Amino acid sequence: MPDSKPDVFMQAAIEEARLGLAEGGIPIGSVLVHDGKIIGRGHNRRVQKGSAILHGEMDAIENAGRHPAGVYRAATVYTTLSPCAMCSGMILLYGIGKVIVGENHTFMGEEELLRSRGVEVTVLQDPTCQELMRQFIAAKPALWNEDIGEP
C-alpha cells in the first residue's frame, strides 16, 4: 500500500530525478502509484525533448498511459518537488486524491490549491530531494528560472 511504504515510492521518484539530471535535464522526478504498484514513472524532460510542458509529474502521468477515472482517483502522485500550477491542474483534472512531495523549500507549488480542492498533500522535506535541487540551481540558475517561468 502507498501509505505503508512512502519511502519506497519516493526513492523511485528520486531515481527518476537523478536520471533526468544524468540526461542533462532538471532533477525532478515523479511516480504514479495505484494499488501499491508504480503504474507510471517520469522525470522533467523539458531540456531533453525541447518541451515547454514536460515536467516530472506530467511525464509520469503520460507514461502511465490511459486508465479509467477510478484508477486516477485511487492513485497517489509522488514527486520530488512541490507541484507547479500546471502539474497541480493535471492532478485536479484527473481527480488524483493524494500527493506526496519530496520537498517544498526550493519551490512552493500549488499545495494550498490542491488542499482546497480535497487533495491530501504530504510534504516530507527529504534531504536528498533538497540537495539535488540545491546543487542543480547553483550550477544552472538560468535553466532553473526557465523551468519555473522566471525571467
Side-chain angles (χ1 to χ4, degrees):
M1 301 292 294
D3 293 333
S4 62
K5 297 181 182 176
D7 56 303
V8 172
F9 300 123
M10 185 53 67
Q11 287 304 313
I14 290 169
E15 289 170 19
E16 286 293 324
R18 287 184 171 136
L19 180 58
L21 184 62
E23 294 171 352
I26 300 164
I28 302 168
S30 182
V31 295
L32 181 66
V33 175
H34 179 261
D35 251 357
K37 296 180 190 122
I38 295 172
I39 62 170
R41 52 190 316 142
H43 50 276
N44 186 306
R45 293 193 302 156
R46 291 183 64 252
V47 172
Q48 300 92 310
K49 293 285 190 177
S51 170
I53 63 169
L54 205 48
H55 283 189
E57 299 92 334
M58 303 287 273
D59 194 39
I61 300 295
E62 174 70 13
N63 290 332
R66 292 177 58 199
H67 292 281
V71 170
Y72 292 111
R73 284 183 171 76
T76 301
V77 169
Y78 289 77
T79 180
T80 59
L81 188 64
S82 186
C84 72
M86 177 177 66
C87 295
S88 293
M90 178 196 57
I91 289 164
L92 293 173
L93 177 68
Y94 286 99
I96 297 168
K98 193 170 187 181
V99 178
I100 310 294
V101 177
E103 68 105 348
N104 65 6
H105 283 222
T106 302
F107 176 80
M108 174 59 79
E110 298 297 327
E111 295 172 22
E112 288 310 311
L113 170 64
L114 292 169
R115 287 184 181 108
S116 77
R117 299 282 297 274
V119 177
E120 181 183 333
V121 179
T122 303
V123 181
L124 303 177
Q125 300 305 5
D126 183 278
T128 301
C129 295
Q130 291 172 342
E131 187 61 16
L132 273 169
M133 291 309 301
R134 188 195 65 73
Q135 289 178 5
F136 176 77
I137 293 168
K140 298 185 177 181
L143 184 54
W144 169 244
N145 285 336
E146 175 190 322
D147 195 60
I148 60 170
E150 294 292 326

